[in-house]
Amino acid sequence: MFDILMYLYESYWHPEACPEFGQLTRKLSAAGFENDDIHEALDWLRGLDSAVGGLGTQQQQSPHAIRLYAQQELDCLGLEAIGYLNFLETAGVLKPHLRELTIERALATGMQPLPLEHLKTIVLMIFWRLDEEPDALILDELFVEADDRVVH
């Protein structure tokens, strides 16, 4: 599923350029992706579309609020991913409502624990679906493996 999500991110710079799901299914199949993976990815995207549609109803969060994680969220995300979400939020990249959307979409994968690289893909897909581009340094953080970084 995550290979398909990255393929979409890299192939369609804006979500409006992405074809409707019927045509997209055929294109992904022609690109060599398995049907089960295609359907899983498209179901996940439908869930993202539905969740993005509900963003207008989000309430403002106090800047002094502290996010407590339920056990199910801890099991799915793990401490590394929670730390990463905190980093993005502290950097001003991920607003509280986008953090909640990220957590919801992470839980929707059903993976426990969710690898950090998959969480990064989820964050990228949320920005992509909202047609927003994060700061270049954050994009680098989302794409480059920690082991591949060059320290200056």
Side-chain angles (χ1 to χ4, degrees), residues 4 7 11 14 21 27 29 45 47 50 74 96-97 106 119 124 138:
I4 292 172
Y7 177 84
S11 298
H14 297 283
F21 284 164
K27 285 184 176 239
S29 183
L45 282 172
S50 177
L74 290 170
H97 66 284
L119 179 72
L124 277 173
I138 296 300

Side-chain angles (χ1 to χ4, degrees), residues 112-126:
Q112 287 189 349
L114 182 73
L116 182 58
E117 294 311 310
H118 290 347
L119 179 72
K120 290 179 178 184
T121 300
I122 291 171
V123 172
L124 277 173
M125 292 307 295
I126 289 171

Side-chain angles (χ1 to χ4, degrees), residues 72-89:
Q72 179 186 14
E73 296 168 338
L74 290 170
D75 293 342
C76 175
L77 295 170
L79 294 179
E80 186 179 24
I82 291 171
Y84 187 74
L85 288 174
N86 188 45
F87 159 73
L88 291 177
E89 198 171 353

Side-chain angles (χ1 to χ4, degrees), residues 50-61 97:
S50 177
V52 166
L55 283 180
T57 62
Q58 297 289 324
Q59 295 180 353
Q60 288 286 44
Q61 180 176 326
H97 66 284

Side-chain angles (χ1 to χ4, degrees), residues 127-138:
F127 282 119
W128 176 78
R129 178 58 186 89
L130 293 172
D131 204 14
E132 295 180 13
E133 187 171 323
D135 180 84
L137 292 175
I138 296 300

Side-chain angles (χ1 to χ4, degrees), residues 130-150:
L130 293 172
D131 204 14
E132 295 180 13
E133 187 171 323
D135 180 84
L137 292 175
I138 296 300
L139 271 177
D140 181 56
E141 172 68 30
L142 291 170
F143 274 113
V144 178
E145 296 279 341
D147 296 339
D148 296 337
R149 293 190 192 286
V150 176

